[in-house]
Amino acid sequence: MEFDDKVPIYYQIEQYINREIIVGNLAPGDQVPAVRQLALTLTVNVNTIQRALAELIRDGILVSERGKGNFVTTDTAVLAQMKQRVIEDELAETYDHLAGLGMAPAEMVAALEGYIKERKEGGSHD
Amino acid sequence: MTEALAIQGLGYRRNQKQILKDINLTLPTGQIVGLLGANGAGKTTLMRLIAGSAINFRGAISVAGVTTAPQRKAQVSFSAQMDGFNPSWRVGQVADVMTALFPDFRTADFLQLAQLLALDQKQRIKRLSKGNQRKLQLAVTLSRRASLYLLDEPFDGIDVMTRKAMLSSILRWTPEQATLVISDHHVSDIDQLLDQVVVIKDQTVVAQEAADTIRTQGQSIEAYFESFYGGEQHD
């Protein structure tokens, strides 16, 4: 995994695990790999993983079971809220970028609609 | 809890020249710390003093609660600790010598590390490439069970793929309660591993900051480090 060096890494790992859940690589009730394993897989330090997991547990995304490990919550309402937050973050970023180019909200909507139409017709797959 | 490292009022002169001055530094247990500074800033000297291989300093150095140089040597695994080894020795012999010198040296760990880093046990030290010498130093350093690990520019002359194997070794073999200090002047080698950074400039510690705090302000560790050197460092 490539990290943005200007954003706290624990936060990027939180986002990474959220995305793994959204795309279904981690399902509700699944066990998350052990801290040390995650540290090795992502080449970051154990404290960073622990902080990311602590934040996810605090948010209710993960549930810690003493002596067993961490599991993705089976509370689908919590997961739906998380997905909504991730989508809003993406939208906020895109909005800021487009606003930075001087686009008005109406122009953004028109541009996005036009883009989606073009993608559909072009049959692009990326 | 005892700190991994506590330095108070450290000053060091050699040949009537001030090498380090007014150093105060405390590091907690269980962290990975980047010791950053330009070449010649005093990073190696500071490590030698902590490890007990340089003496006659002013001030106090304590590692995991112990203060004398021989006691500190037993607590610190320093990447330069095999510098005096006979260059004709083979990689495999290094383990025997380390076992004799340090009771906490684990030959089984060394063999695994040497294999992971693709070091040939039969090769003589002097025949190793610069990169392989760095790998051997790393394998030797991580094979001890110490409280404090000091890695002095471990990635100097190392290619990208080898660096990955070395970073994995560091993460896998450093005991959780131990603290690891890595000196480097190429911050991007190590920045994703670090809990905090310590910046050395003008013979002293000019900054100590948590990596998360730096990044929360939207700054990279590299930019943070460079802010102390004002673009004067190029290599």
Side-chain angles (χ1 to χ4, degrees):
Chain A
M1 182 177 173
E2 289 292 319
F3 293 100
D4 179 342
D5 62 4
K6 293 191 276 302
V7 177
I9 290 176
Y10 76 87
Y11 180 76
Q12 296 181 63
I13 292 168
E14 269 184 79
Q15 300 300 312
Y16 164 76
I17 291 176
N18 281 338
R19 274 158 208 275
E20 289 290 285
I21 294 169
I22 291 171
V23 303
N25 288 338
L26 282 171
D30 274 3
Q31 185 165 11
V32 176
V35 172
R36 212 164 175 83
Q37 187 54 52
L38 278 170
L40 285 170
T41 307
L42 302 172
T43 322
V44 299
N45 118 21
V46 166
N47 299 328
T48 307
I49 300 288
Q50 271 165 345
R51 174 144 188 205
L53 296 181
E55 301 278 338
L56 288 163
I57 290 166
R58 199 202 55 193
D59 290 348
I61 310 295
L62 299 183
V63 178
S64 177
E65 287 187 34
R66 193 171 282 274
K68 284 190 186 165
N70 299 308
F71 297 82
V72 178
T73 183
T74 50
D75 186 335
T76 48
V78 169
L79 294 178
Q81 274 171 26
M82 177 271 282
K83 183 173 177 179
Q84 191 57 37
R85 275 203 308 277
V86 170
I87 291 169
E88 275 166 22
D89 283 350
E90 289 288 343
L91 289 173
E93 197 172 320
T94 306
Y95 180 92
D96 289 345
H97 285 166
L98 296 178
L101 296 173
M103 288 177 82
E107 286 179 282
M108 291 181 202
V109 173
L112 184 60
E113 278 172 354
Y115 177 75
I116 290 169
K117 197 166 167 235
E118 203 174 290
R119 277 283 285 251
K120 269 189 188 160
E121 285 165 1
S124 171
H125 289 291
D126 65 345
Chain B
M1 194 199 270
T2 311
E3 308 289 355
L5 175 70
I7 297 177
Q8 278 149 9
L10 175 67
Y12 184 66
R13 301 177 72 89
R14 199 169 48 200
N15 302 329
Q16 275 129 45
K17 201 179 156 224
Q18 190 86 45
I19 311 288
L20 294 170
K21 63 182 184 197
D22 306 327
I23 292 188
N24 295 291
L25 179 65
T26 303
L27 299 178
T29 59
Q31 287 209 350
I32 301 181
V33 180
L35 180 63
L36 311 177
N39 286 324
K43 304 189 295 290
T44 302
T45 303
L46 180 58
M47 285 192 169
R48 285 169 46 77
L49 286 161
I50 295 167
S53 23
I55 48 173
N56 294 328
F57 56 88
R58 283 171 183 276
I61 305 174
S62 151
V63 175
V66 302
T67 53
T68 70
Q71 285 174 325
R72 276 186 277 121
K73 272 189 178 168
Q75 295 288 335
V76 178
S77 189
F78 178 28
S79 58
Q81 65 199 343
M82 54 168 289
D83 279 4
F85 286 14
N86 186 332
S88 302
W89 285 341
R90 296 175 198 279
V91 170
Q93 283 173 284
V94 170
D96 299 336
V97 178
M98 284 300 292
T99 305
L101 287 175
F102 298 100
D104 61 358
F105 187 81
R106 307 270 181 97
T107 302
D109 287 4
F110 177 74
L111 294 175
Q112 277 189 51
L113 272 158
Q115 192 178 19
L116 191 85
L117 295 169
L119 285 167
D120 179 0
Q121 299 286 333
K122 296 192 189 70
Q123 187 79 257
R124 292 182 195 280
I125 298 175
K126 64 182 173 191
R127 296 261 179 262
L128 294 173
S129 66
K130 192 179 177 191
N132 278 332
Q133 295 205 15
R134 292 282 176 200
K135 288 197 268 180
L136 176 59
Q137 283 182 342
L138 182 70
V140 165
T141 308
L142 295 179
S143 297
R144 286 185 55 198
R145 297 291 95 177
S147 302
L148 182 64
Y149 294 80
L150 305 177
L151 300 176
D152 191 13
E153 299 271 356
F155 304 104
D156 194 20
I158 293 289
D159 61 80
V160 179
M161 285 318 293
T162 307
R163 189 170 72 220
K164 281 199 160 177
M166 291 173 72
L167 291 172
S168 297
S169 303
I170 289 169
L171 290 171
R172 194 160 153 202
W173 265 275
T174 307
E176 272 189 38
Q177 286 310 305
T179 284
L180 181 101
V181 179
I182 310 178
S183 77
D184 210 308
H185 60 280
H186 291 300
V187 184
S188 57
D189 284 341
I190 53 168
D191 59 359
Q192 76 183 50
L193 249 54
L194 302 177
D195 287 298
Q196 59 167 305
V197 294
V198 171
V199 181
I200 294 202
K201 193 193 174 186
D202 300 335
Q203 296 115 38
T204 196
V205 170
V206 292
Q208 178 178 14
E209 191 61 271
D212 285 342
T213 306
I214 295 168
R215 293 194 179 108
T216 300
Q217 293 156 5
Q219 199 172 24
S220 71
I221 292 178
E222 190 157 24
Y224 176 81
F225 169 52
E226 281 170 359
S227 71
F228 291 95
Y229 277 90
E232 68 193 62
Q233 187 209 14
H234 291 289
D235 62 31

